[in-house]
Amino acid sequence: MTTKELEDKLQARDIHPTAMRLLVLEYLIGQEEAISLSDLESHLTHSDRTTLYRTLKTFREHGLVHQIHDDSGNTKYALCRDDCTCSYPDDMHVHFYCSRCEKTYCFPHLTIPEMDLPDSFEPTYVNFVVTGTCPSCAS
Ligand SMILES: [Zn+2]
Ligand SMILES: [Zn+2]
């Protein structure tokens, strides 16, 4: 992806492109699985944790990434699809956590069915994580 394409992707979410945000976005795009703050920190070694955390927070607030809570104890982040608005139930989907390699995968095509909750319970977010073994750990 070119810098221009990365900038466009940020601007489409009303995020002002800065050098740091472009680096973080580029890293996110290159990953097959969801990333944690520590993953980001070990990749961008010259950046401090607070700045990286704020960058992910900004991305999340603008709907560029969503967060996942899996059994690893770390919050993970994955890119949203371009048309995602992070709303229930349309954009809520299944995640898969591999308990061997501790990687978390995003399955945007596996949507979560709308739940028949008791009256006056208003869902805003669903954390749906399947735990198991991924293909590389199974073989
Ligand atoms: Zn695995
Ligand atoms: Zn996801």
Side-chain angles (χ1 to χ4, degrees):
M1 229 183 210
T2 65
T3 306
K4 173 83 178 78
E5 285 170 323
L6 292 170
E7 283 173 357
D8 287 348
K9 212 168 161 58
L10 289 177
Q11 275 160 348
R13 292 287 186 179
D14 279 324
I15 303 167
H16 179 68
T18 62
M20 173 59 70
R21 289 171 182 168
L22 290 168
L23 279 174
V24 173
L25 177 61
E26 192 174 30
Y27 178 69
L28 276 162
I29 287 173
Q31 303 310 304
E32 270 181 51
E33 62 273 345
I35 60 135
S36 66
L37 180 58
S38 306
D39 293 332
L40 195 57
E41 218 181 355
S42 47
H43 176 72
L44 299 171
T45 47
H46 298 293
S47 321
D48 76 279
R49 195 175 172 91
T50 311
T51 310
L52 294 172
Y53 175 74
R54 286 212 194 101
T55 306
L56 286 173
K57 189 164 178 273
T58 303
F59 283 7
R60 188 166 59 80
E61 286 166 354
H62 286 80
L64 184 63
V65 300
H66 54 282
Q67 60 182 22
I68 306 133
H69 303 283
D70 59 29
D71 281 349
S72 70
N74 288 317
T75 303
K76 305 262 178 82
Y77 301 85
L79 275 179
C80 290
R81 290 194 295 196
D82 286 343
D83 60 350
C84 174
T85 56
C86 293
S87 55
Y88 175 87
D90 297 349
D91 295 313
M92 297 292 140
H93 54 263
V94 172
H95 293 96
F96 189 96
Y97 172 69
C98 174
S99 55
R100 295 200 193 167
C101 64
E102 303 196 328
K103 284 180 178 167
T104 299
Y105 299 83
C106 199
F107 293 148
H109 57 287
L110 292 180
T111 49
I112 293 171
E114 205 162 348
M115 279 162 279
D116 192 11
L117 294 173
D119 281 351
S120 304
F121 285 83
E122 289 294 331
T124 51
Y125 160 76
V126 180
N127 189 52
F128 194 116
V129 181
V130 180
T131 301
T133 314
C134 77
S136 31
C137 291
S139 55

